[in-house]
Amino acid sequence: MNRLKIWPHATLIVLGCAIVVGAAALFWTKYERTAEARALPNAARIARVDGQVGLNHSLDASSAKAEWIEATVNTPITIGDRVYARDNSRSELAFSGRNFATIDANTSLDILDLSQQRTQVALRDGAALFDIGSIASGQSFEVATPCGAVDLEQPGIYQIALDQNGDAVATTLSGEAQVVGQGGNSRIDKGEVLTIPCQGNSGAVMSRVDAGQAGALLDNHFRYRYPRKYDGRYRNYYTYLDDPYYYDPYRSAASYDYVSDYIPGVDDLDDYGDWQYVSDYGYAWHPRVDAGWVPYQSGYWSMDYPFGLTWVSNEPWGYAPYHYGRWAYASNQWFWVPEPVRTYPTYSPALVAFIPLSQSSVGWVALGPGDPYSNWYYDPNWQPVYLNRTNVIQERIVNINVPGAVTVVDTRNFNRAIDPTMISRIDPQTVTRVRPVLDPLAVDSLRRAAFETHATQRRISVPQAITQRIDNTRVVTNTAPVAPPFSRDLARVLRVESVPDRAKDQKLQFRDERAATAPQPALNRLPNGAAPNIAAEQARERQMAELARRSSRGDRSARTELRQQQVEQQRAERAMAQPAQGERVRQQMQTQGPLRRQQRQIEMPRVPPPVIRHSEQPQRVQPQPQPPPQRRKPPVEYRPQIQRPAPAAVQQPQPRPQVMRQPERRAAPPQVQMPQVKPAQPQPHPQPQVERQQKQAPQAKPPEQKKKKP
């Protein structure tokens, strides 16, 4: 009997334990999915495109690995995405509101990490300029190359490139960086260049930046980034060093007071809208648009792994307001309400609720403040992983009753560019009877329409040889990239290797050429401290900036000419660095010049003798020019002196060169008298000169006058 009574209790205990274990497993699964969803990376923005720029989703299993689609402005890019600029093309990427990169022609850049603590990219070919405005404590910005990793540790401007030999060249125009390669580590301070060979551990070279080349590079960069504001002041590299933050929008744009600088595209808001205080929401941003404008009605939909259906706006400011914050309708206007400034923002592919009206039409509406939203990502099979289990909005959408807020298009037009002309009008009562969803792939009709966007995306032809070289080129990182939850094999797919620990602990051995290439101020590079020719320097800097721009676009002739200009500039600087030798050469030329003029003047009898005496002064730096004939009128007081003979003057000894240094200015009056006296009495010509010479300094008498006196 006792045994029969125990079993029911044991069964209840077992069932209770099973329920607890199941609930714990469910809770752990939900917590694990929540943690993974919160660990999703941020996204960078393609801020500008010039020419043909391709985008490759290398981690997307549903698309071909060698498929390159056209990159457009406001396209989000994330971990595993690869950007390539073709010939005569370049693009600007915004990793946050203060950190940017400009990739030149024939350049490949991969995204390895975009977390809150680290930004990590890989440069496999070409050259890129990194404009870093903010690196907080505990954060890092790393550029991996085939030769080593460059850690940008301070705000500044850096250029990282792969030269024709395949070596990595890191240039620190401002800031400070650390390079870690197979041969060891080394630091690069402001104004230094480090060349790291990829083959072997020897051959590294440390040098100084060339001021002319640095000025041309900065002028090209700022002219590209700020075409409406830049005035060309950074053509002088030293002007940039004195005030490197003159064009930093963080110091001038009001949007940074209301929006977190983690969000890319904040710097565009001031140019296209205004901030106003809105009741119940605080300060919100209103775009300068026409009446009747509605958000999410000018752009197109694109499938972006792992986030899914992503909105790409055609409006120049249309990145931050469509992937962060919410939209509110007040006073017959739309306002964008951002998240608090001091919170780390979470990227979303599109902050909208989809409305599956029927099999032939689909609609969406912008989410307002307070509307529920859940982050998620997709696995390689495009199955969603939600922050929570539901993807259906149970509450009422704030903006669903706003006139014209719901955008309805035909399903056949879903994969095309959306504009107000193709939007359908629908009865508001029909919209209220349909329950909105957050995940468009959860509805069959929306899922089919979403995957059709792949077929309509424009392709860019990238040569197969370039694609293979990019795929087969490995890069070296200082820190291994963190594998995201949607791609555990990130390092293997992107061919990323970490530097061995032994290389991190040893110093890189390099040939130090910093003393030979040390920059000097402009005034010190000229002899005697003379001022430089500013106009000529500016003209030369503009020419080098134009050559640098053409060279960055793949113009080989411009690249060759730029190198020749740099070689000539280095030769000129080395020549001017020897003022003593230059002074001797200049004095020798000035001595030989008057002697040649003296010989010519002896052969010409009509030239007055004072010109000959003037040419016998080798100590003068520059010979005085001959005064005009009409101003050669002798003073009246000198005329009586012409009648007095001075035979003793003929016997005066030859003058010494050192005596002629003193009477340069006082010897001028005799030179002015001679042309007017000559027609009246030719013989007394030299007499006033001899008398002046006796008072001042002994002078040599011309040989023709010795013959004329008996």
Side-chain angles (χ1 to χ4, degrees), residues 5-19:
K5 293 181 179 180
I6 293 175
W7 282 110
H9 297 285
T11 303
L12 294 176
I13 294 174
V14 170
L15 291 176
C17 292
I19 294 174

Side-chain angles (χ1 to χ4, degrees), residues 15 116 228 416:
L15 291 176
Q116 182 178 2
R228 295 181 295 179
R416 297 172 53 188

Side-chain angles (χ1 to χ4, degrees), residues 104-124:
D104 296 336
N106 304 315
T107 300
S108 171
L109 192 70
D110 301 348
I111 308 298
L112 303 181
D113 195 352
L114 288 176
S115 61
Q116 182 178 2
Q117 292 76 23
R118 185 193 312 167
T119 300
Q120 194 175 41
V121 298
L123 182 72
R124 302 180 189 270

Side-chain angles (χ1 to χ4, degrees), residues 177-198:
Q178 182 182 19
V179 176
V180 181
Q182 300 291 346
N185 68 86
S186 177
R187 304 193 69 83
I188 315 177
D189 294 329
K190 176 178 59 179
E192 295 181 343
V193 182
L194 180 60
T195 302
I196 313 168
C198 292

Side-chain angles (χ1 to χ4, degrees), residues 188-215:
I188 315 177
D189 294 329
K190 176 178 59 179
E192 295 181 343
V193 182
L194 180 60
T195 302
I196 313 168
C198 292
Q199 303 296 333
N201 297 331
S202 61
V205 179
M206 179 78 78
S207 61
R208 297 280 186 184
V209 299
D210 179 79
Q213 184 178 2

